[in-house]
Amino acid sequence: MKPIAFVIPWYGESLKGGAEQFAWQFSHRLADRGYAVEVLTTCCKSFLEDWNSDHLAQGEETIAPDLLVRRFKVKVRSSQDFHGANMRLLELSTEQFRTAGPGIPDRDAALFIQENIRSGAMNEFIEKNHDNYQAFIFIPYMYGTTFDCLPIVADKAYLHPCLHDEVYAYLPQVEQLFHSARGILYNSSGEKSLAEALYGPGIHNKGVVVGGGVESAAEDELTHLSSIGGVDIAEARYFLCLGRRDRTKNTDLLVQAFRKFKLSDMSNPIRLFLAGPGTLNYTDESCDILDFGLVSEQEKESLLHHCLALMQPSSNESYSRTLMEAWLYGKPVGVHRHCLATCEPVEQSGGGWIADSEPAWVALLREATGTDGNAMDAMGNNGRMYAREYASWDAAMDRYEKALDITLQPSADLETPAGRRLHKIVQLTAGVTYGDAISNQAMFIRDHLRHLGYVSDIHVEVLDPQCAAEATVYQPGLLDDADAVIYHHSIGSSLSTICAEFPGPKALIYHNITPAHFYAPYDQHVASLLEDGRRELVAMVGAFSCLLGDSDYNANELLDAGAVKAGVLPIAVNPDAWQQVPCQSVLDRFGDGRRNILFVGRISPNKCQEELVLAFNHYRVLDPESRLLLVGGYDPEDKYYRQMIHSIEALGLGEDVHVCGKVSQQELHAFYRCSHLFWSMSEHEGFGVPLVESMWFDVPVMAYKSSAVPETLGEGGILFDDKRNLTELAFLASRMLHDKLLRSNLIAGQRSRRLDFHPGRVQQAVHSLVAELERQCEAGVSRNAV
Amino acid sequence: MLETANNRIDIQALDRQVMWEAQKYSYLWEGAGSLSPVGSEVPEPIDGNIADSIAAAAAVANVESPHYTLDRYKAPLRWLARGAARGVLYLSSIVTHAQTHFNYHVVSGLDLVNRRFERIDATNRLHAGIIGWLGDVLPRVGDQVLAIEKQMVAVTARLGQMDSRLSQADKERVDHGQELELIRERLPRLEQQMNAMAEQLAQQAARLSLLERVARQPQVKDGAGAGAGDGATPVINANASSALDGLYMVFEDHFRGSREQIRERLGEYLPLVDNYLAAGHEEVAAVDLGCGRGEWLQLLQSRGVKALGIDSNTGFLGQCEEAGLDVVESDALEYIISLPDESVAIITGFHIIEHLEFAVLVRLVDEVQRVLCKGGVAIFETPNPKNLIVGACNFYADPTHVRQIFPDLLEFVMQSRGFQSVSLRYLNPHPQEQQLATEEAPILAGQLNGLLSCARDFAVIAYK
């Protein structure tokens, strides 16, 4: 196998810094496992040195069997410009970026990247020799070496970003890196969540949480000290805070909270011990706080061994080593809610407590003190099991290896239907239009059929020019060489009789016909088409033996129409669809901190956008700064559309309600990114793809309970069954927008539900469909049968 | 109603919260449907009255209608002028028609804009109100916080002081504790010594009073008093020696109870005395057999009844005499025998009959029946053997107890010996804290209490 290359500006065993340590460890351990590993780095010695100097010799050096280091001379650049830009960047607070709004000043961003540490020689080398390498791992994300070289080898580039919630993460060029890389390797699940929050769900499928390893003396028979500097630590009851002590690590917050806690409970003998490098000393005898300062390794291990629990108040970590160390000792931990890297492991494992503000930390300390020994042990044990999984080098390296081979196609085993008789399976649908759910589903099925080895095409009655490559207009005779047909039925169409009469194996996928009564007041023509479609359905049901719906709701309509049995083939919603940089103009316009309420769907009477406008008008009293974004195509002459526009104007909402029309994928991506709530008043949905898309963007959903909406939402979102009490709806919306705990619980449920529509899961249903068609073929339902 | 399948969310609590907020804050939407501001105030004009201006503009928006007056012209000229005017207007309507429309659109647009501004003003006022309120409240809150912080500092200082005082007090307490220990060790010994001394004293006192008696009385009853060898009149304390009197006195104090307690218990019977007195009898004489320390005698004295106490314990007799009570040293039965018929109204014997053999008891009952006046009352109180603890255990505390009397037996004896309306009274049950607890097994405890904690004494009250 060709060698794997690590690309990092500095490389050395004793270098401080998480990324440098990871690079050292992972490269060595991969080499230990027998892979050929190379490290491409500069001649600069370390992060702290002058980036324009070459301290080390250029050239190759084999530092271990299978481990070769190549050093390249740095490119001299203007450190003054760089530092200037860097200073200005650091002054910006990340708070202002959370809204995915107008970002970093372009000039500073450009300077930061241009004048970053890089090596021209390395760039040339990679351009010339990239074919000789199996894969490239870029670590971390914000240095010139990554910016320059990753795009060159994007199709075999893996990014190991060591991402924090810091200013650099918001550079647009960084987002591009994430989208371009083939795979992304994360230190913790919190880091992955942060990346998806910053860059959208498009990177979900290609990210893998690898974790890291933590060496711990917990299992060793090391003699743990029982006193340090005259202070007895074996008998003392104390909480421990390890690591660099300074304001960015929130040490102040912890100390203040501990003081307040002590004041409220002076008889409690519990103490707070701190240890680690840093210039500030927090010792305060009156409140039982003792700061040991910098301690030796053995002293640190002893402190961990004897403590009751570890407190890690930092909100700025991508991977917390001390957290894992404490857990390997079986001690529970207290962490900060805003630091996903520490908060998620605690949530997932139940190995500690979480707090954010100072009063919350006081309450956390009180709860921790009040927890009895058994409960503490149980929590510590939960943490220990998690740490053994995610802080063990062996487990991490296993995942690393797997990650470098990842294909990111869903791993469900392909049950290739046995005894395959069919060769060409064709799909027919009334029309294929850009951005339409049915069209996308047809394309998904077609792609998967082709993946299974079938020849498969889509034929339509009406073809959107934008999708010209995806389908062909039906001509008589196109079905002559087709072995099986899948018909997507959603509205009256001439294709339906053609399919019904097809003699070979066939299946009908019913995408729901909007009940005609919605359109009756607005468009008689469409209403009658819909009625025709419904009548046709009854006829169709008789003609097909394999009947499927997008949802149980649709399947039930099939049964009502006379079907004997009906299956379900959910619509696949693939986060890979969002692998593009979102439209910046949309982000600039709407991502400015004002609350955005979103609804995606064609402007139509059954989706009730006008009612949504009225409800939004009501909500506006509580939040005059909010906006309603209506994304979805419309016909300007359509009566319902005009009625809605009239309402908007009559209420004077022209500035706050935006009817955006049909948008591109990039624009839609941006809309989801800058929205805070998805609000549906729709009274009829056959499936509701935007509901699932919202879940991928962590946008909480509130929806009127109708048709297939509850089924699609599953455990995500909140449903209401009364849409007339606008005041209550307004307060619900207000809660869903502002209550952080509610939002995080909602998002947790949505994150779980959205996976049910991942292509990997839906594929099983496609296989069943194919198997059914094959079975029909075997049963003699052949086009050649007389 | 809200629903969710997400079990991390308490959807019912959320539903209630939303409904409550909707009700509480529904006033925010009053007037919001119409375009008048919250509070229904008329908006102040910014510069002049915009509404008036718009109205005025609307009035002349129609370019096609005549606005001038032709009235100053005389009639025929007026019609001519009007016709001409109409013609001109008609012709010019080619141009003015559009102008009119334009005017109307502009006016209505302005009207909309005006309404918009009115709403904005209203919202601003609302916000200003809120900000004003916040501005008022926040400084106060800030002050309070400062005050509290100052207090906290003071409290901490005080706590520090108290800490040191407490540790001082602790030390002292330890010292005191040690001293107490020493004292405690010595106490039992002191008690023992005191008890021994008390006993000796009592004995000395008994001896002294015996000596005094002997000195006072000229003769001792030789013939009739020798009692011990005379088989006809059995005496009660056949083997009582005066040496034991002293012990018995101390014993009484120790086991029976204090004088005050006995007086209280005996007060139970005072109503009987009161009833007898109230019946109008004169010359009421009472005899208390075995009067002991004289508690009953004192009670009778308080009722103005002439009472005589009989006892053979010289010590007790001495005490009674010192208390100014009439007492006679004699064997109880002997004394009763010596009394004439129907000469005493009230005869009592508290805790004497358990010292008698049954035959002696019956003889005593007969004599009492003879001596009592018509309508007189006899009361005998004795330990109740139906209380098993008394019967099986406590009875034996007094070495001079001879036998227990079964209550119903005594009642039967009294009735068969001629007493009228004989009744039993059960007295002096165990106090609540000595009874068995009834929480766990109420029925059983109740039954056991009935056997173990019931009346420790009983009395028979009989009338002649």
Side-chain angles (χ1 to χ4, degrees):
Chain A
M1 197 170 71
K2 297 188 239 184
I4 299 171
F6 281 81
V7 181
I8 184 170
W10 312 276
Y11 187 75
E13 183 174 8
S14 55
L15 292 179
K16 300 262 176 270
E20 289 87 335
Q21 280 298 310
F22 276 126
W24 181 265
Q25 291 283 352
F26 279 112
S27 54
H28 271 81
R29 288 171 191 269
L30 263 186
D32 286 343
R33 288 192 172 206
Y35 296 94
V37 176
E38 289 190 22
V39 178
L40 308 180
T41 180
T42 69
C43 298
C44 178
K45 199 156 118 189
S46 83
F47 172 81
L48 298 166
E49 307 282 347
D50 176 16
W51 292 359
N52 278 342
S53 313
D54 296 310
H55 309 96
L56 303 163
Q58 179 184 261
E60 300 175 11
E61 184 190 345
T62 307
I63 58 173
D66 285 329
L67 185 47
L68 176 73
V69 179
R70 291 183 197 274
R71 295 190 188 275
F72 300 88
K73 283 203 158 62
V74 294
K75 177 168 174 185
V76 174
R77 81 291 180 245
S78 165
S79 44
Q80 203 181 23
D81 283 344
F82 177 79
H83 282 299
N86 193 27
M87 285 292 117
R88 285 191 293 277
L89 287 178
L90 288 175
E91 272 162 28
L92 302 169
S93 118
T94 57
E95 275 302 322
Q96 69 194 87
F97 303 138
R98 280 189 218 285
T99 57
I104 297 166
D106 288 336
R107 187 166 167 274
D108 289 331
L111 275 177
F112 178 83
I113 291 177
Q114 277 160 21
E115 307 299 341
N116 209 312
I117 181 166
R118 55 171 33 85
S119 162
M122 188 197 293
N123 299 359
E124 279 171 26
F125 177 83
I126 292 181
E127 273 174 26
K128 266 212 299 231
N129 299 304
H130 63 83
D131 282 332
N132 300 336
Y133 291 90
Q134 167 90 4
F136 288 84
I137 300 172
F138 293 89
I139 173 170
Y141 71 96
M142 78 262 218
Y143 296 115
T145 46
T146 307
F147 286 119
D148 282 352
C149 305
L150 193 151
I152 304 174
V153 292
D155 56 326
K156 41 186 169 182
Y158 294 85
L159 180 61
H160 190 145
C162 300
L163 186 69
H164 297 185
D165 188 4
E166 55 195 351
V167 137
Y168 312 120
Y170 293 88
L171 293 165
Q173 294 87 338
V174 169
E175 178 159 1
Q176 187 56 51
L177 282 178
F178 275 80
H179 286 303
S180 313
R182 184 193 165 108
I184 304 175
L185 309 164
Y186 297 104
N187 296 332
S188 66
S189 64
E191 192 191 347
K192 182 167 196 254
S193 296
L194 175 64
E196 285 173 21
L198 291 176
Y199 311 125
I203 57 173
H204 176 87
N205 283 340
K206 63 184 178 183
V208 174
V209 176
V210 168
V214 169
E215 299 82 30
S216 166
E219 319 276 356
D220 290 353
E221 291 302 313
L222 245 197
T223 329
H224 292 296
L225 303 168
S226 58
S227 82
I228 296 177
V231 178
D232 182 348
I233 60 172
E235 292 304 315
R237 291 169 54 81
Y238 61 93
F239 294 134
L240 180 63
C241 178
L242 284 180
R244 197 166 85 245
R245 278 105 17 77
D246 65 37
R247 249 155 228 119
T248 66
K249 299 279 180 186
N250 278 341
T251 323
D252 271 15
L253 171 66
L254 176 65
V255 167
Q256 271 303 98
F258 189 82
R259 268 206 196 98
K260 291 224 167 103
F261 158 69
K262 266 293 193 170
L263 277 175
S264 71
D265 187 4
M266 297 231 68
S267 63
N268 200 312
I270 200 124
R271 305 167 76 179
L272 177 65
F273 288 172
L274 301 110
T279 47
L280 298 166
N281 189 300
Y282 288 94
T283 300
D284 183 352
E285 291 285 343
S286 70
C287 292
D288 286 332
I289 300 177
L290 185 53
D291 186 344
F292 286 97
L294 190 56
V295 294
S296 71
E297 199 56 31
Q298 192 193 21
E299 286 169 337
K300 183 192 84 174
E301 300 284 340
S302 309
L303 281 169
L304 275 171
H305 179 66
H306 291 296
C307 73
L308 284 177
L310 179 86
M311 293 298 155
Q312 171 57 290
S314 169
S315 54
N316 188 19
E317 306 283 331
S318 78
Y319 179 80
S320 176
R321 174 167 296 269
T322 48
L323 181 75
M324 297 297 165
E325 285 175 343
W327 271 347
L328 287 171
Y329 274 95
K331 307 288 176 184
V333 296
V335 296
H336 201 295
R337 190 178 291 283
H338 291 160
C339 181
L340 292 176
T342 50
C343 175
E344 281 199 13
V346 171
E347 269 175 351
Q348 282 168 15
S349 65
W353 311 271
I354 306 173
D356 43 28
S357 62
E358 192 181 278
W361 271 96
V362 176
L364 183 154
L365 289 166
R366 191 170 292 125
E367 196 190 324
T369 323
T371 312
D372 73 9
N374 286 337
M376 290 279 240
D377 285 342
M379 288 169 96
N381 217 26
N382 287 343
R384 187 188 271 133
M385 293 198 302
Y386 186 94
R388 285 208 179 120
E389 184 58 27
Y390 286 97
S392 116
W393 275 115
D394 280 335
M397 290 316 295
D398 285 341
R399 284 190 288 270
Y400 214 79
E401 279 185 333
K402 230 174 100 174
L404 294 177
D405 290 333
I406 51 179
T407 57
L408 275 241
Q409 292 305 357
S411 56
D413 285 329
L414 302 176
E415 313 155 7
T416 22
R420 188 190 291 213
R421 290 164 183 258
L422 299 172
H423 174 64
K424 178 169 178 181
I425 303 180
V426 157
Q427 293 186 86
L428 269 77
T429 176
V432 157
T433 33
Y434 181 77
D436 169 52
I438 300 172
S439 315
N440 288 338
Q441 178 77 339
M443 291 192 273
F444 161 75
I445 294 176
R446 174 202 63 194
D447 291 343
H448 194 64
L449 288 174
R450 287 178 179 169
H451 183 75
L452 287 174
Y454 294 96
V455 174
S456 184
D457 289 313
I458 304 176
H459 298 307
V460 299
E461 206 176 348
V462 174
L463 182 57
D464 178 2
Q466 261 182 299
C467 301
E470 305 288 351
T472 52
V473 177
Y474 175 77
Q475 310 286 351
L478 268 179
L479 289 183
D480 289 348
D481 60 342
D483 295 321
V485 160
I486 299 174
Y487 176 56
H488 294 268
H489 183 62
S490 68
I491 198 170
S493 151
S494 61
L495 291 179
S496 49
T497 20
I498 295 167
C499 290
E501 288 167 3
F502 181 78
K506 55 186 190 279
L508 177 113
I509 301 182
Y510 174 56
H511 293 287
N512 212 300
I513 298 173
T514 310
H517 68 81
F518 286 108
Y519 277 88
Y522 301 99
D523 191 335
Q524 268 305 322
H525 174 65
V526 171
S528 60
L529 273 180
L530 293 171
E531 274 173 12
D532 289 343
R534 288 255 164 195
R535 272 196 294 275
E536 257 177 31
L537 182 64
V538 177
M540 303 290 277
V541 158
F544 287 77
S545 60
C546 177
L547 296 155
L548 297 163
D550 301 320
S551 54
D552 271 330
Y553 179 78
N554 289 356
N556 284 334
E557 286 197 0
L558 285 172
L559 294 174
D560 287 342
V564 170
K565 77 173 168 70
V568 174
L569 179 66
I571 295 192
V573 180
N574 192 348
D576 277 348
W578 308 108
Q579 288 211 76
Q580 68 283 117
V581 178
C583 171
Q584 191 61 38
S585 58
V586 169
L587 289 177
D588 288 343
R589 190 167 168 213
F590 297 115
D592 57 0
R594 289 168 62 174
R595 301 274 128 193
N596 295 320
I597 300 175
L598 177 71
F599 179 74
V600 175
R602 191 174 171 73
I603 312 278
S604 51
N606 58 299
K607 293 189 195 273
C608 304
Q609 280 95 342
E610 193 199 354
E611 287 183 47
L612 182 57
V613 167
L614 295 174
F616 169 73
N617 182 46
H618 212 78
Y619 169 73
R620 259 185 94 246
V621 173
L622 293 177
D623 183 1
E625 299 285 301
S626 57
R627 287 195 198 95
L628 178 64
L629 306 175
L630 296 173
V631 174
Y634 58 86
D635 175 3
E637 302 299 319
D638 174 42
K639 257 178 92 174
Y640 182 76
Y641 166 76
R642 294 170 77 77
Q643 184 178 307
M644 182 189 77
I645 295 291
H646 178 79
S647 295
I648 294 174
E649 286 169 2
L651 292 168
L653 294 174
E655 301 261 317
D656 303 307
V657 175
H658 299 266
V659 182
C660 312
K662 210 163 165 106
V663 300
S664 68
Q665 190 73 355
Q666 272 175 308
E667 288 169 323
L668 186 56
H669 183 159
F671 277 113
Y672 276 119
R673 283 273 285 277
C674 61
S675 297
H676 306 98
L677 176 68
F678 188 96
W679 186 342
S680 161
M681 298 284 255
S682 172
E683 291 186 8
H684 185 269
E685 298 285 345
F687 179 83
V689 168
L691 297 168
V692 184
E693 289 177 338
S694 299
M695 293 192 211
W696 276 106
F697 282 91
D698 285 344
V699 178
V701 175
M702 71 185 252
Y704 176 63
K705 181 179 175 188
S706 78
S707 59
V709 170
E711 187 186 335
T712 301
L713 277 183
E715 72 174 296
I718 291 187
L719 296 157
F720 52 90
D721 60 9
D722 176 9
K723 46 153 83 172
R724 286 160 311 178
N725 192 331
L726 295 183
T727 311
E728 281 188 19
L729 289 181
F731 278 104
L732 175 63
S734 175
R735 283 224 159 248
M736 287 183 72
L737 282 165
H738 297 103
D739 184 335
K740 290 204 176 95
L741 187 57
L742 178 62
R743 278 182 79 86
S744 87
N745 282 336
L746 275 167
I747 288 170
Q750 291 181 183
R751 283 186 180 173
S752 168
R753 178 59 176 160
R754 68 195 187 189
L755 296 173
D756 292 334
F757 301 105
H758 195 281
R761 303 252 181 110
V762 177
Q763 269 172 1
Q764 284 302 330
V766 176
H767 294 163
S768 310
L769 168 58
V770 169
E772 170 63 24
L773 290 174
E774 291 279 359
R775 197 200 58 74
Q776 281 184 22
C777 178
E778 203 177 309
V781 182
S782 143
R783 59 172 298 106
N784 298 320
V786 174
Chain B
M1 270 295 288
L2 303 177
E3 280 180 37
T4 183
N6 185 340
N7 56 17
R8 297 170 188 77
I9 297 175
D10 185 349
I11 195 69
Q12 282 160 347
L14 182 62
D15 201 11
R16 281 196 298 272
Q17 232 167 356
V18 165
M19 282 203 301
W20 180 82
E21 283 174 346
Q23 277 173 9
K24 186 169 171 201
Y25 294 108
S26 56
Y27 68 85
L28 289 174
W29 281 271
E30 281 160 26
S34 68
L35 295 174
S36 59
V38 173
S40 299
E41 289 165 29
V42 176
E44 289 146 28
I46 302 172
D47 289 314
N49 196 320
I50 302 178
D52 284 348
S53 305
I54 293 174
V60 295
N62 189 347
V63 187
E64 295 158 79
S65 65
H67 297 291
Y68 47 85
T69 174
L70 295 169
D71 290 335
R72 56 192 159 121
Y73 294 113
K74 284 206 268 281
L77 197 53
R78 200 187 307 147
W79 293 335
L80 209 59
R82 230 181 248 151
R86 284 216 190 89
V88 171
L89 278 173
Y90 178 69
L91 285 172
S92 67
S93 70
I94 298 169
V95 174
T96 59
H97 191 65
Q99 182 66 40
T100 304
H101 276 288
F102 174 77
N103 292 349
Y104 276 129
H105 283 306
V106 167
V107 167
S108 67
L110 283 172
D111 190 44
L112 280 173
V113 169
N114 182 34
R115 289 172 194 271
R116 244 329 200 40
F117 277 130
E118 286 171 13
R119 287 180 62 205
I120 290 172
D121 279 342
T123 311
N124 284 348
R125 262 194 297 282
L126 182 66
H127 287 173
I130 294 173
I131 291 171
W133 174 79
L134 273 176
D136 285 335
V137 162
L138 281 176
R140 273 184 279 150
V141 169
D143 287 338
Q144 284 177 1
V145 167
L146 279 173
I148 291 172
E149 281 184 1
K150 258 206 278 192
Q151 278 185 21
M152 286 309 312
V153 168
V155 164
T156 316
R158 279 296 306 282
L159 279 174
Q161 284 175 353
M162 287 179 59
D163 246 336
S164 48
R165 287 203 353 225
L166 271 174
S167 44
Q168 178 71 13
D170 259 342
K171 260 208 312 234
E172 285 170 15
R173 186 172 54 81
V174 168
D175 291 337
H176 291 168
Q178 287 171 346
E179 286 178 15
L180 267 174
E181 266 310 305
L182 290 171
I183 293 175
R184 231 182 252 130
E185 278 165 32
R186 294 197 53 206
L187 262 180
R189 274 178 277 143
L190 285 173
E191 265 185 29
Q192 275 177 352
Q193 288 173 0
M194 265 180 52
N195 283 345
M197 279 172 52
E199 215 189 282
Q200 283 181 10
L201 260 179
Q203 289 194 359
Q204 303 295 350
R207 283 212 183 99
L208 261 180
S209 21
L210 182 63
L211 281 172
E212 276 173 5
R213 246 167 224 289
V214 166
R216 254 187 274 143
Q217 284 171 7
Q219 268 102 330
V220 166
K221 14 190 187 334
D222 299 314
D230 191 84
T233 45
V235 285
I236 291 175
N237 288 330
N239 45 5
S241 83
S242 47
L244 282 178
D245 283 355
L247 178 64
Y248 203 74
M249 277 175 66
V250 181
F251 168 87
E252 272 287 299
D253 276 332
H254 194 86
F255 282 101
R256 183 99 157 81
S258 69
R259 273 212 184 79
E260 289 66 34
Q261 282 172 332
I262 300 302
R263 221 198 326 264
E264 216 179 283
R265 273 205 229 133
L266 292 177
E268 170 94 18
Y269 304 105
L270 275 179
L272 298 169
V273 172
D274 291 337
N275 284 350
Y276 189 81
L277 291 174
H281 297 101
E282 294 170 359
E283 295 284 340
V284 175
V287 167
D288 186 24
L289 302 172
C291 62
R293 299 179 295 198
E295 296 97 341
W296 179 246
L297 294 174
Q298 283 175 326
L299 286 173
L300 286 177
Q301 211 184 46
S302 73
R303 288 299 195 269
V305 173
K306 204 159 63 98
L308 182 66
I310 314 294
D311 208 292
S312 58
N313 183 312
T314 50
F316 284 144
L317 290 169
Q319 282 184 359
C320 289
E321 277 173 356
E322 276 164 32
L325 303 166
D326 285 333
V327 290
V328 166
E329 182 190 349
S330 169
D331 174 80
L333 185 57
E334 268 185 22
Y335 186 77
I336 282 287
I337 290 171
S338 73
L339 287 177
D341 294 359
E342 302 196 353
S343 56
V344 182
I346 304 170
I347 302 182
T348 51
F350 298 106
H351 288 264
I352 61 163
I353 60 178
E354 66 269 24
H355 297 257
L356 308 180
E357 291 294 342
F358 188 66
V360 176
L361 170 61
V362 173
R363 180 67 195 278
L364 181 66
V365 166
D366 286 340
E367 292 300 319
V368 166
Q369 213 274 351
R370 178 184 65 77
V371 166
L372 262 185
C373 303
K374 274 265 184 333
V377 61
I379 307 172
F380 292 106
E381 187 187 285
T382 186
N384 174 19
K386 288 189 180 177
N387 180 322
L388 298 186
I389 295 192
V390 168
C393 177
N394 293 357
F395 185 77
Y396 300 101
D398 186 339
T400 60
H401 282 175
V402 169
R403 80 180 9 254
Q404 306 185 38
I405 317 292
F406 193 71
D408 305 80
L409 173 65
L410 182 59
E411 185 186 39
F412 168 73
V413 167
M414 305 281 285
Q415 276 169 345
S416 54
R417 274 354 213 195
F419 280 92
Q420 311 294 324
S421 46
V422 178
S423 61
L424 289 175
R425 203 182 272 199
Y426 288 93
L427 311 151
N428 194 17
H430 283 262
Q432 186 65 27
E433 54 271 18
Q434 287 176 20
Q435 299 199 19
L436 292 172
T438 55
E439 286 88 31
E440 285 189 21
I443 295 176
L444 183 64
Q447 289 170 338
L448 284 174
N449 276 336
L451 290 172
L452 304 173
S453 315
C454 61
R456 288 177 279 188
D457 302 311
F458 78 92
V460 65
I461 300 159
Y463 291 85
K464 180 148 168 192

